[in-house]
């Protein structure tokens, strides 16, 4: 396996996050917004997206472990770190790096909605096309990409490459 060509540049990512941030700013103006980042991958998106949101947002994080191989999600999810705060009656926006099978987000939506937030929405930088998944309403979408394994901008392969400032394909992974 080796890191292949750049799929989305750092500039393209920043431009897209600026658009998403402007939409979030408009939609949540006057509301108290809590951004929930899904660790580890979403920490980069969260940091950059938040700086394009012109509102006094708060941050919280959840850490999730999805059983499976390095490159395939099994859909069985375990919470390694829960939110620090209560979300009842709060406007919550889950920030994800990538949606593949959608099973992680489906699990999180179910888990968080029982805590009775005022609203619960999704933002994801990357969405893999051509993957069968449960219906998910992703209010703030970044890029649709082919169903290939990618790294960089928070996404890892065996824990590495999260620090690449762009998104790249990995060669030799099906
Ligand atoms: P899902 O539950 O299948 O939608 O998978 C979501 C999680 O799997 C993401 O938050 C990533 O951590 C990981 N993931 C899915 N596809 C990729 C990829 O192409 N590269 C790196 N991580 C991925």
């Amino acid at each position: 396996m080796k890191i292949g060509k750049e799929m989305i540049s750092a500039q393209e990512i920043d431009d897209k996050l600026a658009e998403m941030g402007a939409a979030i700013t408009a939609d949540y103006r006057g509301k108290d917004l809590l951004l929930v980042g899904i660790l580890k991958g979403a920490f980069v998106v969260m940091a950059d997206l938040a700086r394009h949101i012109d509102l006094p947002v708060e941050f919280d994080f959840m850490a999730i472990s999805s059983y499976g191989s390095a490159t395939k999600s099994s859909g069985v999810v375990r919470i390694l770190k829960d939110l620090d705060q209560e979300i009842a009656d709060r406007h919550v926006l889950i920030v994800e790096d990538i949606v593949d099978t959608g099973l992680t987000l489906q699990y999180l939506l179910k888990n968080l909605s029982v805590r009775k937030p005022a609203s619960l929405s999704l933002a994801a930088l990357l969405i893999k096309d051509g993957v069968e998944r449960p219906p998910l309403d992703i209010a703030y979408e970044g890029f649709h990409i082919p169903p290939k394994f990618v790294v960089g901008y928070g996404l890892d392969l065996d824990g590495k490459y999260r620090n690449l400032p762009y998104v790249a394909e990995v060669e030799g992974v099906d």
Side-chain angles (χ1 to χ4, degrees):
M1 277 187 276
K2 71 179 179 81
I3 302 306
K5 60 178 189 302
E6 181 176 288
M7 183 186 276
I8 309 172
S9 72
Q11 186 62 56
E12 287 170 319
I13 295 170
D14 193 56
D15 291 348
K16 184 63 79 179
L17 292 179
E19 278 174 32
M20 292 166 72
I24 294 167
T25 302
D27 292 351
Y28 288 93
R29 193 169 297 288
K31 291 178 180 155
D32 175 30
L33 176 61
L34 177 70
L35 296 178
V36 170
I38 308 307
L39 295 172
K40 296 174 183 160
F43 80 100
V44 181
V45 188
M46 182 90 158
D48 288 346
L49 176 63
R51 281 177 285 182
H52 286 294
I53 300 174
D54 188 17
L55 299 172
V57 295
E58 287 181 47
F59 288 60
D60 206 339
F61 291 93
M62 281 180 90
I64 299 292
S65 151
S66 162
Y67 293 101
S69 70
T71 59
K72 288 263 187 315
S73 169
S74 68
V76 181
V77 172
R78 191 161 57 108
I79 294 183
L80 303 179
K81 181 213 169 290
D82 206 338
L83 296 174
D84 290 337
Q85 44 195 303
E86 303 285 323
I87 57 166
D89 302 322
R90 305 217 42 200
H91 293 283
V92 175
L93 179 60
I94 300 176
V95 178
E96 238 314 17
D97 46 11
I98 190 165
V99 184
D100 184 7
T101 63
L103 295 170
T104 305
L105 281 181
Q106 189 188 37
Y107 171 83
L108 283 171
L109 283 174
K110 206 169 131 203
N111 185 288
L112 295 186
S113 61
V114 298
R115 307 183 197 187
K116 303 273 181 260
S119 68
L120 182 59
S121 297
L122 302 176
L125 180 67
L126 304 173
I127 295 123
K128 283 191 195 178
D129 280 338
V131 178
E132 255 189 65
R133 66 173 70 96
L136 280 176
D137 181 11
I138 303 170
Y140 308 98
E141 292 188 341
F143 301 93
H144 283 259
I145 63 167
K148 293 181 171 170
F149 195 81
V150 291
V151 292
Y153 205 75
L155 293 162
D156 74 305
L157 174 63
D158 275 342
K160 297 197 176 64
Y161 309 114
R162 293 189 196 276
N163 57 321
L164 289 178
Y166 51 86
V167 172
E169 288 175 33
V170 179
E171 289 173 4
V173 177
D174 57 27

